[in-house]
């Protein structure tokens, strides 16, 4: 009976162990918040998630204003929570993300520059953190505008896992 329980535990651990080998994450030297790159194993299932925008945080404000959605950090956290939900619905987790492209507009009060520190603060709550120690290969670019004047950031991700 004891060996049956041990065998069941080993079988339960197999998907996690297999998933750990799906993406070879190539770190930066010196250490950085992002990877140099990532190599996805042949046969992995890959999920390309379209760019996501923040959800409103203050419904009392007009939906066309930044105030309705928050600053760059707030919008970043909102987007990652949305991505987390979308991934979960498909059986993925945030730790399955290996590639990210981030589009950021000029933030109010930043003299026409993006709030990169605000984005990185939100990013740090989801990647290279206790809940998800993984980092991703990432590109971050400043753009002239997004789908509306209320949006400061849009994030698209690609995730991979072992085929089921």
């Amino acid at each position: 009976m004891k060996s049956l329980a041990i065998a069941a535990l080993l079988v339960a651990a197999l998907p996690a162990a297999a998933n750990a080998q799906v993406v070879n994450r190539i770190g930066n030297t010196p250490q950085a918040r992002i990877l140099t790159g990532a190599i996805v194993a042949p046969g992995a299932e890959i999920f390309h998630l379209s760019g996501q925008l923040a959800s409103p945080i203050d419904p009392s404000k007009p939906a066309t204003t930044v105030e309705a959605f928050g600053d760059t950090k707030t919008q970043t956290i909102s987007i990652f929570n949305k991505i987390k939900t979308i991934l979960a619905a498909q059986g993925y987790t945030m730790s399955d993300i290996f590639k990210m492209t981030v589009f950021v507009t000029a933030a109010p009060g930043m003299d026409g520059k993006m709030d990169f520190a605000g984005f990185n603060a939100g990013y740090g709550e989801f990647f290279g953190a206790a809940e998800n120690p993984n980092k991703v290969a990432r590109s971050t670019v400043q753009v002239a505008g997004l789908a509306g004047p209320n949006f400061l950031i849009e994030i698209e991700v690609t995730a991979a896992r072992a085929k089921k």
Side-chain angles (χ1 to χ4, degrees):
M1 189 61 124
K2 187 176 180 181
S3 55
L4 202 59
I6 291 171
L9 284 173
L10 289 173
V11 168
L14 282 177
N19 201 27
Q21 300 302 315
V22 170
V23 177
N24 177 12
R25 296 170 191 273
I26 302 163
N28 266 316
T29 305
Q31 284 288 351
R33 298 189 83 144
I34 63 174
L35 299 174
T36 294
I39 300 170
V40 178
E45 180 179 283
I46 299 176
F47 182 21
H48 298 277
L49 185 61
S50 296
Q52 300 297 310
L53 298 165
S55 298
I57 58 164
D58 188 348
S60 71
K61 304 279 186 195
T64 56
T65 65
V66 171
E67 293 78 20
F69 292 82
D71 62 11
T72 302
K73 179 181 178 186
T74 302
Q75 288 193 27
T76 299
I77 292 168
S78 172
I79 294 166
F80 282 138
N81 280 323
K82 185 186 283 188
I83 288 171
K84 188 176 187 177
T85 299
I86 293 167
L87 289 173
Q90 300 301 318
Y92 287 80
T93 67
M94 294 294 278
S95 63
D96 293 324
I97 296 171
F98 67 91
K99 176 67 175 103
M100 179 182 306
T101 305
V102 184
F103 306 95
V104 190
T105 64
M110 297 282 294
D111 287 332
K113 298 197 187 301
M114 67 178 167
D115 180 7
F116 188 68
F119 161 66
N120 254 343
Y123 169 87
E125 292 186 23
F126 293 85
F127 299 92
E131 186 178 325
N132 176 19
N134 289 340
K135 298 175 185 175
V136 301
R138 183 183 90 194
S139 299
T140 306
V141 296
Q142 182 169 339
V143 295
L146 294 168
N150 45 341
F151 299 114
L152 299 175
I153 186 164
E154 181 173 339
I155 303 171
E156 64 183 33
V157 300
T158 306
R161 68 176 182 193
K163 284 192 177 180
K164 290 185 173 188

